Every structure is written in C-alpha cells, then in structure tokens.
Amino acid sequence: MRKIWDIHGGVHPNENKTQSLGEPIVLSAIPPYLYVPLSQHIGAPAQPIVKIGDNVLKGQTIASANAAISVPVHAPSSGIIFAIENKSVPHPSGIDDMCIVIKTDGLDQWRERNTNKDFSQLSGDELLSIIRNAGIAGMGGAGFPTAIKLKGKNNKPIDTLIINGTECEPYITADHSLMLENADDIAMGLAILAKIIKPKTILFGIEDNKMDAVNGIEVALEKIDFSAYSDHAIDVEVVSFPTKYPSGGEKQLIQILTGKQVPSHGLPADIGIVCHNIGTAVAIQDAVCLDHPLISRVTTVTGEAVSQPRNYHVLIGTPVSFLLEQSQYRADVSNRLIMGGPMMGFALNDASVPIIKTSNCVLAPTETELPSPPPAQACIRCGMCAEACPASLLPQQLYWFSQGKELEKLEQHNIADCIECGACSYVCPSNIPLVQYYRASKTDIKQREVDHHNAELAKRRFDTRQDRLLRLEQEKIAAKEARQTARKNSNKTDKHVSLTSTASNDSAASSKSTEDRDATIKAAIKRAQEKKSASAATNEDPVARAQAKREAQLEQDQADPEAKLTRAVENAQQRLEKLHIKFSEAKKNNDKNITIIETGLEKAQAKLISSQQALDDHQKISFTNDKA
Amino acid sequence: MALMRVTSPHAHNRQTTGQVMQLVLLATLPGVLALTFAFGWGTLVNILLAVIFAIALEASALKLRKRPIKFYLNDYTAIVTAVLLAIALPPYSSWWIILVGIFFSIIVAKQLYGGLGYNPFNPAMVGYVALLISFPVAMTSWPAPIYLTPDELSIPNPINALLIALTIIEQPIIDGFTMATPLDLVRQNDALMIEDLINEYPQFGRWSGYGWEWVNLGFLVGGIFLLQRKIFTWHTPVSMLLAILIMSALFYDGGSSASAGSPLFHLLGGATMFGAWFIATDPVSSAASNKGRVIYGAGIGLLTFIIRKWGNYPDAVAFAVLLMNFSAPLIDHYTQTKPYGHNTQKKS
Ligand code: SF4
Ligand code: SF4
C-alpha cells in the first residue's frame, strides 16, 4: 500500500450517487438538431470549414484548429449543416457563442475510418497529432487541449502520471460508470498515455466510495505490460483514499497521492506530475485505436426532478432539454438546472444549451433537495470556512476584504490560490455566498492589472513619441540650415545630396543601437508626410484625403509595426470605455439589453488583453533585438 | 420555464448561525445549573431579565437602523450575549444594573459598531466592564454559597429572587449573605500561608472555592460539548488554560503567604472555564487563523493571571479578553495561514 497524504479542510456533503448508478450507461437518442459550439475548450475557438447546406458525415471535421492553443470540432452525427450562428452555450455567465447547427438525418453514417489497433508502432508525435486532430480536450474540468498538456515542456520531465478517478462532486457518476463498464478502454488509453509521456510511475486515484471500480480497474491494468511502452520500468498502482470533497481537485489529488504541493501560480508539470481524467483516457483510446474523434461523452442526468436518473452516452451538441426528456424531467418540481455538480456546477438559464465536451452532469434538483439559499447573515467569524478550505486560506478574511474591495489585501491573502471549490460557502452558517465574492474580486484584480499595464504602456508610448518628435524637429532645423548654406553657396543642384547626408549624419549621432530601425521609420514618416501634403495640395476632396491618410498610415505601419499595435490597443481601450459608460447607464436604467452590453464588454476586454499581448510581445522582441 | 440563477455551491450543510448560537446556549446549561445550585436562583433571574432587555434593545436598535428585525433576531446572538453577561453578573443583580449592562453590550458594543460581525470587542465583556467601572460595589458583592449561608430560611425563593432583582424587596441584609470570593481572599492575603487561609475561610471548598469548582467543571463540560460539535477549534481555550496553568505554577511559590494560589485553584476558580470556553471563543472579536488563536488565547490566559495577581479587580477574564480583542487585528496580520502551494521552493 502506498502512503496517502491528507489535505487540509474538505467537507462531506451527501453523496447522492447511487440514484444514477441503478442501470448501465444508456445510449441517448440522436436529437433532430445538434448545436456544436466552436469553443468548448480553453484557447482560441475552432474555425468553421463547412458551409450552410453542406452534407457532413459522422466524425467529419467541421471546424479546424488554426491557433496554437485550440482543438478542432467534428460532426457528432451525419446530416446537413443547417446554420452557423450565435446560440446560448453552457457557460457560467450565460453568454451566447458561435455554434454549428447540424440537422441530423438519423442515419448516423460514419466517415471513413482508419482503425489502427496497434498503436505501439506509432511514435509519440504521431500519437499526439492523432489526439489533437481528434479534438480532445480535458473532460474533467476546464477543457484544456489534451495534446498540449501531453507535450509539456522539454525542460520539465514528467515522472508521475496521475489518472483522476476521484469524482468527488456529489451526484456525478459519469466517471464511475465508465470505470465499471469500460475498464479495458481506460487501461488502453492509459497505455497510450504511458507511451507518450514515459513516466516512471502511474498512479490511478479513486475515492474509497467506489471500491467496485477500484477492483475492475486493477484487473484491467494487470492485463497490460506498461513497461513495454517505455525504455524503463513503469510502476502502476491503483490508489484508493478516503472520500472527501474536494479530493478530486487536481492540486488536492496530487497532494493526496504524492504529498507534494503544486507551487502557487505553477503547474503540476513544475513538480514532474501530469494529471489526466478518466473520460480523457477513454477518448484517447477511441481516437487512436478506433479513429473516433471526440464527438460523444458520458453525462450523468440526475436529481429528484427527473424520474429516471442515469448516465448517457450522449452526442456533443445534444440539447440539455432533449436529454432531460429521456429521463422524464418534471419541470414543475425542478427549482433549477445545474450543469455540473452541486458544489461547482453552474445554474443554466436556458435548457436548450447543448452538452459539450466538458459537461459531466446535468442536475435537476427539487426545492427540498437543494433549497434556494436563504438571505445571507453577518459573518460571525466562526472560522468554519477556514477549517473547510482545502487551500488553507482564510475565507472569512477574503470575504471581509472583498466587501471592502481591498484588492491589495486580497492578494496578500492569496486569493489567487482559491480554487473556487465552494467548501467554505457550504459550511458557512451565515449562508454567505463567499465564492461569488471571490469570483468578483478576482475579476476586479484582473481588471486592475490591465489598467495598470495600460497606464504603463501609455507612459512608455508617450515618451517614445516625445523623443521621436524631438528628433524630427531637430532634423528639420538641420535640413533648413543645410538648405540655407546650400543657397548661400548658390549650389542648387547639390541640395538633395546635402539633405540626405545631414539626415544620415544626424541619425548616426543618435543612439547607435536603434539606428537602423529609426532610419527606416524616419524614412517612412517622411514619405508618408510627403504623400500627405502632396495629396492635400492636389486634391481637396475629403474622401481622397482620407484615403491618402490611410495609405500613409499603412506605409508607416509597415515600417513601424509597433505604432500599429499601439493603435489597436488604443482603439480597444476607447471601445471598452464607451461600453463601460453604456453599461453603467444601462444598469442605472435597468435596461433589458444589459446582458448584451455585458457580453460586449467581456469581448472588448478580451480584445484589449489580446492586443495588449501582441504589443507586449512585439516590444519584447524588438527590445531583445535592440540589445542584440 | 423559470430557471433560477444561483452560483455554486448549490448545496449547503444546513447549519445556520441561529443553530450554532442555540448550541452555545445549550452548552451553558451545566454551568448555569451549577451556579444555581451553589448560589441560588439569582443567576436564573439575571438570565431572564437580561434576555428580555436584550431582545427589546436589539429590536429597537434594528428598527432605528431600518433592518429587518425578525431576520436578525433569528440569529440568536443577542440572546447569547445576554445570557453570557447574566452569568458573569453577581446573582440577584438589580434590574437597572442588568439593563445598563445590556445597553452597553447590545447598543454600544454591537449595534453602534454596525451590528453582528463588525464588533471589535466582545459585547458581553464590554457590558460587564462598563458595569464594573460604574458600580464597583454592586458588582463585587457575590452572595455566599447557599451551603454556607447561616440561615437557610433567608435564601430567596424564585419569586423573591425576582422581586429582589426588580428592587421591589430588599436583599436580605443578614450577615453572611454576601461573602468575599476565594479569588478576593487570595489576592488580599499577605499574612497567611495558603494552607492556613484555606482553613480559615470555609468558602474555599475542596479545590478552588465552594461552588466555584462545580461551576467551572460545568462550563468545562459545556465547552467540550461545543468543541466536539466543531463550533470552535481547541486553539483559543486550550492555550488560554495552558497559559493560566503555567503562570500559576510559576507563581505558586509553594503556598507561601505571597503565593497566588495553586494551579488547580486558578483553573477551577472564578470565571476561568467560563471565560475560556464561552467568552474567549467568541469568534467575532477573536483572531482568525488557528495560529493566531493560539496566541490570542495564550494572551488572555497570561493577562488574566497578571490582573488576578497584581490587579485590583475581583476577576480578570473580562479585562484580559478586551485587551486581547484590541490586539486581534494585529495578531491576524502576523499569523496568516500558509496556503496550498506556498511551501514549495520551486516557484515558477
Ligand atoms: S463560515 Fe461564514 S460566518 Fe463563519 S467565518 Fe466563515 S464566512 Fe464568517
Ligand atoms: S472556494 Fe476558495 S476560499 Fe472557499 S474553500 Fe474553496 S479554495 Fe477555500
């Protein structure tokens, strides 16, 4: 037996898992329409490569991953592309996002498949590209692209692979039923993972409320010789440990199994560990051995408001309402719909949202089952939250500082380490929605960072611009002097020569390191100015003038990409400010459109951050170039 | 379909602040019973009046502050404060003493600071200290234990106890109805060996004062019950008791005339157990982290002993608690917990 470590805090909510384990996993029917979001993972959304009206086969790629961090999306069933439009998607904020809508034909006809039973002939890179092309993203939590996580970083060798079979959230049994029914597939997926990562140890962590799964997995793992997939021996062990929420949090599980803690702001890879989920392991085996991309998953449908709680093999894109119908959902007794579990799941405001790659559970509780929270009372600082916090934070202090918006204090008290598990709110006798406060504060902190960053950049930009203007002025004076001397000497033909020479002399005198770049910029500016004045002189037509201006701008941009990026940031900023004003007005007037504006706001923020990033990257590059 | 939007977690362990406070009330029972057995009905009358005043004052304060009255009364904290203050007051206190005490507890210490959760000082102890400073004589006259009262018949029955508190009838002024407490005797003593002192005065009882030992044991039982129900952690009370134990052992002095009394005398004497389990553990005004609570509790224990030995008041727990309330924010500042992921060296 392996030594098991304990984590701080934790709670023991009612498990409520048996309800959905009564029958084996059921194959969900094919809905008439599938709504497949382009962004079901962390990273850039996939880009559609089909048009409305196209016929698609099951498993066919319908959107490709063009960015570094992204995964493609496949048609979950055969049919015709009906629309590509904004639809409500499962997201805590209830936003809409781009979806490809497929009108299914009911034939469920596969594209051609390349079954490759023997993956041992494939190299790690080949396996990685299969995984990436199959659209696999972490199926347990956030949905980080699996291939990227597997690739890791060269300087950080992984010696421990952890498979997370904890499933500590109450009600959910998707992983549990997979372990019971597909143990061999999981083991095969694990073998593929072993071949890619070549770890020294594989630990399969399962809570002790699933001993049946522990036994099944042990049997399945024994059939495989993992060391054959590596040049060294691989130790494989199934570890069961006491049931406690949130043992299944990645960081918590790592501590339970290895006693190590992932450094704050770090990744498990920093301590040589990588964690994967059961569903992910199965998806990997499906992709590699059967050439099945990730187009379906196991989702638990449970809660007292459904008559038939159970697990489904469900196609990605199936509307939640369609799935609920198959379990005889009683909308009249249901008080809310939760995607995920009762501890970390989020309430849906629309039952038409589709199941996506990360949807492990749809929970439909009744009011007696999960009562609506009573109004919060004052914090009595009883410390029960601190006793329950798995991250060893002081939730009552975080709450206090969140109320006062003391962002610095919040950072000092390490709000960044909060995993939003909800254990603190769960125990709080005053029913304070603590996690809600922390989420808001985290957003505030992020916003402040962006603001701070912007101010810094603006200052830097201002300084550079001042420098540039000064230099320009000097050049002008120099040129004038040169002209005057030229005139004095009445040597008219040499005018141009002397001009250029003064200019170059001048730039030679300026800082050597930036000499070349400055020269090009200057030349470009000059050309642009010339063009501008020329067109202004010849043409009073405002359109033409604008065009000329734009052209000049473009030219300038080419020589000085920084200016372009800076402008992008400025534009984004302006837009954001405008939206902010709009938003606060809408808030004041209780405007119906407030959610739309909010979405816009979020998007604008994202845009600002990305353009900022681009600018930063550029500045970093040119900075290092300068240095070189 | 109207779907509610609530953020996670959706589950709750369904323990409310009201229930926590009810448990605290329940836990005072053994101690209160011991007080009643030892000193008569006075304590119960104190509690009755204090609770009535507390509810009335809390409700009017909430009304003035335009807060939902029933909602806030339901947290039971006003009642807990009232009961704790009533226990600390000498039995048979007059109604106006109780009223003034409650006024300081509920209005000054709690509502003026913004209500529950915002009070930096323990409300019951603010009330107690305010009374002690304003009415030192009334506050220091404890009735003698029933057992030692010369005339059994002069012990007030419940009705009379209430009438005394309402100042409708006078307290019996017979000699020996009130009596110096053992703590007073030890502090004032500078001539006798402890042994002799104990032999001289019957109120010393077996270990720490007749009646007092049982009162303390009663509060100890209640405290352990709350600890077991995870209402608070062991850190504050245990470190407070340890501090008292260590200090009293250091200054026991073998029981000479300069001795401050034996460790057992201090642990089971006066308000030690009541203070450790019911006053120091008040979460609002104490330190936040467990490490902080160890320091906080030890501080109370230390100050309690110092004031008992060198101070001028009958008991010291109230002052010690208030002084440490002052330092709680400072303690919090220096005793932050070390969160997950902060003790690894490899920072990325
Ligand atoms: S559990 Fe609730 S009432 Fe208790 S300290 Fe934490 S936030 Fe305050
Ligand atoms: S939500 Fe954050 S603060 Fe609350 S218990 Fe979880 S980690 Fe701790």
Side-chain angles (χ1 to χ4, degrees):
Chain A
M1 269 296 277
R2 223 187 143 75
K3 181 172 163 27
I4 296 167
W5 280 263
D6 191 19
I7 51 167
H8 180 266
V11 291
H12 295 95
N14 290 338
E15 289 174 21
N16 284 311
K17 287 186 185 255
T18 47
Q19 295 96 312
S20 52
L21 279 174
E23 37 181 322
I25 311 176
V26 175
L27 194 64
S28 156
I30 301 172
Y33 291 93
L34 289 164
Y35 304 88
V36 189
L38 292 173
S39 187
Q40 307 175 35
H41 51 266
I42 288 183
Q47 299 297 323
I49 53 170
V50 287
K51 296 186 306 295
I52 294 172
D54 282 2
N55 280 306
V56 289
L57 293 173
K58 183 179 177 113
Q60 183 181 332
T61 311
I62 51 177
S64 66
N66 297 338
I69 300 186
S70 184
V71 294
V73 173
H74 304 80
S77 186
S78 59
I80 174 169
I81 302 294
F82 182 75
I84 301 176
E85 61 187 11
N86 264 327
K87 284 269 165 205
S88 58
V89 293
H91 191 273
S93 68
I95 54 164
D96 288 0
D97 204 3
M98 266 303 178
C99 294
I100 296 182
V101 186
I102 300 173
K103 184 170 196 268
T104 55
D105 56 15
L107 302 173
D108 210 26
Q109 200 180 355
W110 268 100
R111 63 153 159 72
E112 213 171 290
R113 275 168 292 170
N114 236 322
T115 40
N116 182 353
K117 292 272 179 216
D118 187 16
F119 66 89
S120 57
Q121 302 306 319
L122 299 173
S123 72
D125 281 345
E126 283 167 322
L127 288 171
L128 278 178
S129 87
I130 293 178
I131 290 170
R132 179 179 157 99
N133 291 335
I136 301 176
M139 293 168 73
F144 191 79
T146 303
I148 295 171
K149 195 165 167 184
L150 280 172
K151 215 188 279 164
K153 290 192 183 119
N154 292 337
N155 54 350
K156 289 183 183 140
I158 299 297
D159 54 42
T160 310
L161 165 63
I162 290 178
I163 298 296
N164 191 344
T166 319
E167 205 165 48
C168 59
E169 269 258 4
Y171 286 97
I172 309 177
T173 54
D175 284 352
H176 189 177
S177 53
L178 256 181
M179 287 191 278
L180 292 179
E181 295 181 31
N182 295 45
D184 286 326
D185 293 340
I186 296 172
M188 192 55 76
L190 204 46
I192 299 169
L193 285 169
K195 183 158 168 58
I196 298 170
I197 303 172
K198 298 196 171 40
K200 292 198 190 78
T201 318
I202 299 179
L203 298 174
F204 201 124
I206 306 177
E207 276 187 337
D208 64 4
N209 58 355
K210 299 183 257 293
M211 288 317 278
D212 47 352
V214 172
N215 298 334
I217 292 290
E218 263 169 354
V219 171
L221 291 183
E222 257 160 39
K223 293 185 208 156
I224 295 178
D225 175 19
F226 284 93
S227 303
Y229 298 112
S230 165
D231 41 10
H232 52 257
I234 297 180
D235 226 11
V236 185
E237 199 173 335
V238 181
V239 189
S240 65
F241 47 86
T243 303
K244 171 158 103 174
Y245 178 87
S247 302
E250 189 174 67
K251 293 176 168 183
Q252 278 64 40
L253 182 61
I254 287 173
Q255 187 175 10
I256 290 170
L257 296 183
T258 68
K260 295 186 199 163
Q261 294 192 347
V262 181
S264 175
H265 299 287
L267 290 173
D270 296 337
I271 49 172
I273 295 175
V274 69
C275 248
H276 286 280
N277 170 270
I278 304 267
T280 315
V282 175
I284 287 174
Q285 104 89 31
D286 283 353
V288 172
C289 302
L290 307 174
D291 192 16
H292 285 184
L294 179 49
I295 51 172
S296 76
R297 64 157 297 137
V298 176
T299 300
T300 309
V301 176
T302 185
E304 275 171 18
V306 295
S307 311
Q308 225 153 7
R310 57 189 172 193
N311 284 292
Y312 289 91
H313 283 293
V314 48
L315 295 177
I316 304 296
T318 303
V320 164
S321 51
F322 184 81
L323 197 56
L324 283 169
E325 265 167 44
Q326 298 176 66
S327 271
Q328 279 95 48
Y329 172 56
R330 292 173 297 154
D332 50 330
V333 293
S334 150
N335 76 338
R336 66 189 113 165
L337 277 180
I338 299 167
M339 184 155 266
M343 298 299 288
M344 288 183 84
F346 52 89
L348 295 173
N349 46 2
D350 184 352
S352 72
V353 298
I355 294 293
I356 60 171
K357 291 173 183 174
T358 52
S359 314
N360 50 6
C361 181
V362 175
L363 175 57
T366 58
E367 178 66 27
T368 39
E369 196 177 10
L370 291 182
S372 326
Q377 291 169 295
C379 168
I380 52 169
R381 292 170 55 88
C382 62
M384 292 186 189
C385 46
E387 287 299 301
C389 178
S392 304
L393 300 170
L394 292 171
Q396 71 274 50
Q397 303 292 79
L398 292 177
Y399 167 63
W400 184 267
F401 299 134
S402 284
Q403 277 184 314
K405 296 227 175 293
E406 297 176 65
L407 302 186
E408 242 109 72
K409 281 273 169 83
L410 281 167
E411 281 177 315
Q412 269 170 31
H413 280 74
N414 299 301
I415 191 170
D417 292 309
C418 165
I419 58 169
E420 298 180 21
C421 67
C424 49
S425 313
Y426 176 79
V427 295
C428 176
S430 287
N431 274 300
I432 303 171
L434 296 164
V435 185
Q436 210 169 317
Y437 280 94
Y438 307 153
R439 284 201 196 104
S441 296
K442 282 181 182 176
T443 318
D444 287 348
I445 289 176
K446 234 175 261 162
Q447 182 58 42
R448 192 197 52 176
E449 261 158 29
V450 171
D451 291 349
H452 185 78
H453 196 88
N454 286 350
E456 195 90 312
L457 278 183
K459 186 175 169 294
R460 229 157 59 203
R461 271 195 315 270
F462 181 76
D463 290 350
T464 2
R465 182 161 175 274
Q466 269 336 53
D467 282 357
R468 211 157 40 208
L469 288 180
L470 192 72
R471 236 173 14 238
L472 227 59
E473 198 61 28
Q474 282 168 348
E475 270 167 43
K476 254 189 216 154
I477 295 167
K480 208 169 170 189
E481 275 171 9
R483 254 198 318 272
Q484 274 164 359
T485 19
R487 212 176 290 140
K488 251 184 217 156
N489 298 344
S490 35
N491 195 349
K492 280 168 197 167
T493 41
D494 274 356
K495 184 173 161 192
H496 276 287
V497 181
S498 72
L499 208 165
T500 18
S501 72
T502 351
S504 59
N505 278 345
D506 200 86
S507 60
S510 76
S511 146
K512 262 181 196 160
S513 58
T514 50
E515 187 180 313
D516 283 351
R517 210 182 56 182
D518 282 353
T520 25
I521 294 173
K522 246 178 281 168
I525 293 172
K526 206 176 235 162
R527 265 199 312 277
Q529 278 168 342
E530 271 163 17
K531 237 185 213 166
K532 205 153 101 187
S533 54
S535 56
T538 50
N539 203 336
E540 288 301 312
D541 177 14
V543 178
R545 213 166 45 223
Q547 258 167 1
K549 195 172 159 199
R550 171 101 193 105
E551 255 168 54
Q553 192 85 62
L554 269 179
E555 197 163 337
Q556 210 171 328
D557 285 349
Q558 262 155 19
D560 186 5
E562 185 171 332
K564 182 180 168 193
L565 293 167
T566 316
R567 229 181 18 253
V569 174
E570 276 164 2
N571 287 344
Q573 247 164 345
Q574 276 166 8
R575 201 177 140 61
L576 190 61
E577 267 158 34
K578 268 187 212 147
L579 275 165
H580 261 304
I581 297 169
K582 241 189 175 168
F583 181 63
S584 42
E585 272 171 13
K587 219 168 164 181
K588 242 189 270 155
N589 309 335
N590 255 335
D591 198 324
K592 278 199 298 290
N593 294 333
I594 192 153
T595 42
I596 302 175
I597 299 174
E598 209 171 357
T599 319
L601 206 60
E602 263 170 36
K603 280 191 183 148
Q605 252 156 12
K607 172 90 189 144
L608 178 58
I609 293 167
S610 68
S611 50
Q612 196 103 64
Q613 194 65 46
L615 179 60
D616 271 3
D617 288 348
H618 175 77
Q619 278 172 339
K620 239 180 261 161
I621 293 166
S622 57
F623 180 66
T624 34
N625 283 351
D626 284 357
K627 258 205 208 151
Chain B
M1 176 169 42
L3 290 176
M4 201 183 19
R5 281 184 53 75
V6 201
T7 57
S8 62
H10 305 271
H12 192 267
N13 71 354
R14 303 189 190 177
Q15 184 173 42
T16 63
T17 298
Q19 283 159 357
V20 170
M21 295 301 154
Q22 284 167 26
L23 278 179
V24 173
L25 289 178
L26 187 67
T28 57
L29 217 61
V32 170
L33 285 183
L35 273 172
T36 310
F37 274 118
F39 300 103
W41 296 99
T43 307
L44 288 179
V45 172
N46 279 358
I47 291 177
L48 177 73
L49 292 182
V51 167
I52 293 172
F53 291 149
I55 293 178
L57 284 183
E58 173 107 330
S60 16
L62 287 171
K63 186 153 181 152
L64 279 177
R65 293 178 60 214
K66 300 198 174 59
R67 301 292 149 103
I69 295 172
K70 190 156 173 290
F71 175 72
Y72 280 100
L73 280 182
N74 265 344
D75 66 25
Y76 276 76
T77 49
I79 297 178
V80 168
T81 300
V83 170
L84 296 183
L85 177 65
I87 289 172
L89 295 179
Y92 308 106
S93 288
S94 306
W95 65 270
W96 50 270
I97 291 215
I98 299 175
L99 183 60
V100 171
I102 292 289
F103 176 82
F104 273 99
S105 294
I106 299 286
I107 303 294
V108 177
K110 182 173 163 192
Q111 294 292 349
L112 283 187
Y113 275 103
L116 177 62
Y118 297 92
N119 47 311
F121 301 106
N122 184 317
M125 289 303 102
V126 170
Y128 180 83
V129 166
L131 288 176
L132 195 57
I133 294 171
S134 324
F135 312 107
V137 179
M139 288 296 287
T140 46
S141 52
W142 270 83
I146 292 178
Y147 175 73
L148 299 176
T149 312
D151 179 7
E152 291 265 345
L153 289 177
S154 69
I155 309 291
N157 62 22
I159 306 285
N160 284 345
L162 184 62
L163 294 178
I164 292 172
L166 294 177
T167 58
I168 293 171
I169 59 174
E170 293 269 307
Q171 248 190 54
I173 350 185
I174 36 162
D175 196 30
F177 183 75
T178 63
M179 211 178 238
T181 63
L183 274 176
D184 291 332
L185 291 174
V186 170
R187 193 186 38 248
Q188 283 149 14
N189 169 52
D190 51 9
L192 295 173
M193 301 282 282
I194 290 289
E195 275 288 339
D196 300 334
L197 189 69
I198 289 176
N199 290 335
E200 181 111 341
Y201 293 94
Q203 55 262 58
F204 273 99
R206 194 168 315 157
W207 302 303
S208 59
Y210 187 83
W212 287 107
E213 39 212 31
W214 291 105
V215 170
N216 273 285
L217 287 175
F219 285 121
L220 174 64
V221 167
I224 289 174
F225 164 73
L226 291 179
L227 185 63
Q228 185 254 330
R229 295 298 297 264
K230 298 213 167 92
I231 300 303
F232 45 68
T233 60
W234 58 268
H235 302 82
T236 308
V238 170
S239 49
M240 168 173 164
L241 294 177
L242 270 181
I244 293 186
L245 179 75
I246 294 171
M247 287 301 283
S248 51
L250 282 179
F251 288 90
Y252 179 45
D253 203 7
S256 75
S257 60
S259 166
S262 73
L264 198 60
F265 173 77
H266 276 280
L267 284 182
L268 293 182
T272 305
M273 287 295 168
F274 175 64
W277 299 100
F278 290 87
I279 300 297
T281 50
D282 164 45
V284 178
S285 49
S286 86
S289 69
N290 287 340
K291 207 173 19 162
R293 286 176 177 175
V294 168
I295 299 176
Y296 176 79
I300 295 177
L302 201 70
L303 287 173
T304 301
F305 185 84
I306 291 176
I307 302 174
R308 270 185 188 173
K309 174 128 178 64
W310 293 286
N312 236 337
Y313 287 98
D315 201 354
V317 173
F319 287 102
V321 166
L322 289 185
L323 283 172
M324 288 313 285
N325 286 167
F326 260 120
S327 355
L330 197 71
I331 296 176
D332 281 345
H333 185 81
Y334 287 105
T335 54
Q336 247 193 67
T337 49
K338 187 184 273 178
Y340 181 105
H342 282 259
N343 44 6
T344 22
Q345 295 306 305
K346 288 178 241 166
K347 288 230 169 175
S348 55

